[in-house]
Amino acid sequence: MEIFLIRVLQFILAISLLVLLHEGGHFFFAKLFGVRVDKFYIFFDWKFSLFKFKPKNSDTEYGIGWLPLGGYCKIAGMIDESFDTEQMKQPVQNYEFRAKPYGQILFWWGDTYIPVKDMTLGMKFNQEAKSYGFKDGDILIGTEKGAFKDFSADLYRDISEATRVDIIRQGKPMSITLPGELNLLNMMKADPSFVRPLLPAKVDSVLPETPAAQIGLQKGDEIMALNDKPVDSYNEFVDLLGRRADMLAVAETPADSMKARTVTLVIKHQTSDIKHQTSVDTVNTVLTPDLKLGFTVQSVLGLYKPVTREYGFLESIPAGIKYGFHVLASYVDDLKYIFSAEGAKSLGGFGAIGSLFPPMWDWYMFWKMTAFLSIILAFMNILPIPALDGGHVLFLLYEIITRRKPSETFMIRAEYVGFGILILLMVVANLNDILRALGYM
């Protein structure tokens, strides 16, 4: 519950800041050109608002809505998401929009990451990856395009487009030949995914009142086998539990459920004395209803030392711009997957976005995620869809070229169509989140 709340708070704070900055831009330029702003809201205030006030001698009402789908700056004399058609029926006023002629994260924190080449335990690969020649424990170095930086979506993208992947296997450099056109979406959506950092199945901490605590599991213990199947990593342990989930999903009786949850573990215990003697023990236990044993292992950040590239103020500006363009180009390139059946299923709403934030409050990751969302939302907002800024720009360009304004009836209908498209996308994306949470996707 605590992790959920932390992610929700990070998501709401990030969206609030982005809405404030975005709508603040509309507000600033409206005031600059003498256009009245009737309302300035963070989040939508459909039916009611959480907070509102109107300063004395001001034309603008400020407030906070209850529906976190964005926000709006209601500009007088402009057909927008407020659908205020009554105002448009009144005589044009000189303060209205329709009366006017057309005419730093890198500097503060640096860039902290774990180089892929430093992940000396190597990677864990799925069956598809192994069919191309990868083996568990291979250390990834790079492709013909250059060295891998960190383990991120960029690594998947580089592998999907590569014809050669350089690796180190058991201390020896070698290369894997690939077709150069792997499906990036399938690579990331596969269960297990194409490649993951290999994590040892060694206990780092034990949660109280869990099966792990009941069988006496302690820090330093290592899971060697699960139901007579060897476990070479924590990744393998999680994969084997995933197969138990399939059994649990088709269980018809309490006895069937208990059978799916009952497992036999082979555990190597390591004593804490100076000799570090080990012993092997076989135990039976019943997992929790969600198939958890109740222990954690060291994360990638715990296994490897991150490096930090420091940026001076002047260096951080071009570096930030380069990062922004790279994220945007990658996002645009990945949009092609949306027009496939699997791509549509991959759409995510508030839940998917919230899950991108770390489970612990981390200001560096918060600002990095906020920057990422800012880039994505900026691109989405300039799409030529009515109800978005890109749609308004499209109509203004039409007015500039043809020297005549679209009719108000057309503008209102276009706004409804655009708003309908956005609502449909939002419903589909959040429905996908719900279905994934319920285990149907």
Side-chain angles (χ1 to χ4, degrees):
M1 187 63 180
E2 181 182 357
I3 291 175
F4 172 77
L5 290 175
I6 289 174
R7 281 177 164 157
V8 167
L9 288 173
Q10 290 182 92
F11 172 67
I12 292 177
L13 179 58
I15 292 298
S16 299
L17 289 171
L18 294 178
V19 169
L20 182 63
L21 289 172
H22 176 85
E23 301 302 337
H26 291 306
F27 183 89
F28 173 79
F29 282 101
K31 291 293 187 180
L32 183 65
F33 292 107
V35 179
R36 192 174 77 184
V37 177
D38 294 329
K39 298 177 75 173
F40 183 88
Y41 266 72
I42 296 177
F43 303 155
F44 291 137
D45 62 330
W46 183 62
K47 299 296 185 183
F48 69 95
S49 60
L50 298 178
F51 169 78
K52 64 180 179 180
F53 77 100
K54 189 173 184 178
K56 188 177 181 179
N57 300 323
S58 173
D59 296 316
T60 306
E61 176 184 299
Y62 302 87
I64 299 176
W66 63 272
L67 191 59
L69 301 181
Y72 68 99
C73 178
K74 185 180 181 303
I75 296 174
M78 182 177 183
I79 297 174
D80 57 13
E81 59 269 29
S82 66
F83 298 107
D84 187 358
T85 57
E86 290 303 316
Q87 184 183 63
M88 304 303 291
K89 295 176 182 178
Q90 305 303 317
V92 178
Q93 304 296 323
N94 61 1
Y95 56 76
E96 291 184 334
F97 175 82
R98 54 181 171 165
K100 303 299 177 181
Y102 49 78
Q104 305 174 311
I105 292 174
L106 290 177
F107 169 65
W108 188 265
W109 272 286
D111 187 12
T112 301
Y113 62 95
I114 298 172
V116 177
K117 65 180 179 61
D118 291 350
M119 297 182 181
T120 52
L121 293 176
M123 299 288 163
K124 183 75 174 176
F125 299 90
N126 68 6
Q127 289 304 313
E128 181 191 6
K130 290 177 180 177
S131 71
Y132 292 112
F134 291 103
K135 290 186 178 180
D136 292 339
D138 287 348
I139 301 173
L140 296 175
I141 302 299
T143 71
E144 69 271 17
K145 294 182 178 180
F148 295 124
K149 181 187 174 185
D150 55 359
F151 190 86
S152 64
D154 286 337
L155 180 141
Y156 275 86
R157 186 173 291 104
D158 289 347
I159 292 177
S160 72
E161 300 171 352
T163 57
R164 188 195 79 235
V165 178
D166 300 322
I167 64 170
I168 293 178
R169 179 177 294 167
Q170 297 178 345
K172 297 180 180 179
M174 61 182 297
S175 297
I176 303 292
T177 301
L178 294 179
E181 50 184 20
L182 298 180
N183 187 292
L184 176 63
L185 182 63
N186 290 342
M187 290 172 64
M188 300 183 72
K189 279 178 62 66
D191 187 16
S193 56
F194 191 90
V195 57
R196 299 158 289 166
L198 192 150
L199 301 175
K202 185 173 289 187
V203 177
D204 184 59
S205 64
V206 177
L207 304 179
E209 299 180 2
T210 62
Q214 293 169 5
I215 62 176
L217 211 59
Q218 296 182 359
K219 182 173 181 176
D221 291 348
E222 189 173 355
I223 308 296
M224 304 297 295
L226 173 67
N227 292 341
D228 297 326
K229 294 187 180 297
V231 170
D232 63 4
S233 62
Y234 181 68
N235 313 75
E236 183 73 18
F237 178 76
V238 172
D239 293 344
L240 291 173
L241 286 185
R243 298 175 193 175
R244 310 298 292 182
D246 295 336
M247 293 176 55
L248 191 61
V250 298
E252 297 181 352
T253 65
D256 292 337
S257 298
M258 183 61 68
K259 183 178 179 180
R261 292 168 53 200
T262 302
V263 296
T264 301
L265 301 171
V266 177
I267 303 169
K268 183 168 73 173
H269 302 282
Q270 182 168 302
T271 60
S272 59
D273 60 30
I274 195 169
K275 294 182 180 180
H276 295 294
Q277 296 177 334
T278 61
S279 61
V280 177
D281 188 18
T282 301
V283 297
N284 294 319
T285 189
V286 178
L287 304 174
T288 62
D290 58 349
L291 296 179
K292 302 294 184 185
L293 186 57
F295 73 97
T296 64
V297 299
Q298 279 196 314
S299 66
V300 172
L301 287 173
L303 290 170
Y304 307 107
K305 183 179 180 180
V307 300
T308 300
R309 165 74 192 278
E310 300 287 352
Y311 291 89
F313 178 73
L314 294 180
E315 287 181 298
S316 68
I317 296 174
I321 294 172
K322 181 180 178 181
Y323 171 77
F325 274 108
H326 173 71
V327 171
L328 180 58
S330 301
Y331 179 78
V332 173
D333 183 61
D334 293 345
L335 284 178
K336 61 179 178 285
Y337 293 109
I338 293 180
F339 301 101
S340 65
E342 285 300 313
K345 293 179 182 178
S346 300
L347 287 173
F350 300 133
I353 296 172
S355 67
L356 296 176
F357 287 93
M360 302 296 290
W361 196 281
D362 184 322
W363 281 111
Y364 168 72
M365 288 303 300
F366 169 79
W367 287 116
K368 192 169 185 178
M369 274 303 308
T370 302
F372 171 75
L373 290 177
S374 175
I375 294 167
I376 301 309
L377 291 175
F379 171 75
M380 295 297 294
N381 201 49
I382 63 173
L383 292 176
I385 299 174
L388 295 179
D389 290 348
H392 294 300
V393 171
L394 181 65
F395 294 137
L396 287 174
L397 290 175
Y398 170 83
E399 182 180 341
I400 292 172
I401 295 171
T402 65
R403 301 300 181 95
R404 62 179 182 177
K405 295 182 179 181
S407 70
E408 292 180 2
T409 300
F410 172 81
M411 293 287 286
I412 292 171
R413 289 177 177 174
E415 196 77 11
Y416 274 117
V417 170
F419 206 73
I421 292 173
L422 297 179
I423 292 295
L424 178 61
L425 287 173
M426 185 187 69
V427 169
V428 171
N430 285 283
L431 181 60
N432 283 351
D433 284 349
I434 295 172
L435 293 176
R436 275 190 287 267
L438 296 176
Y440 291 106
M441 289 183 62

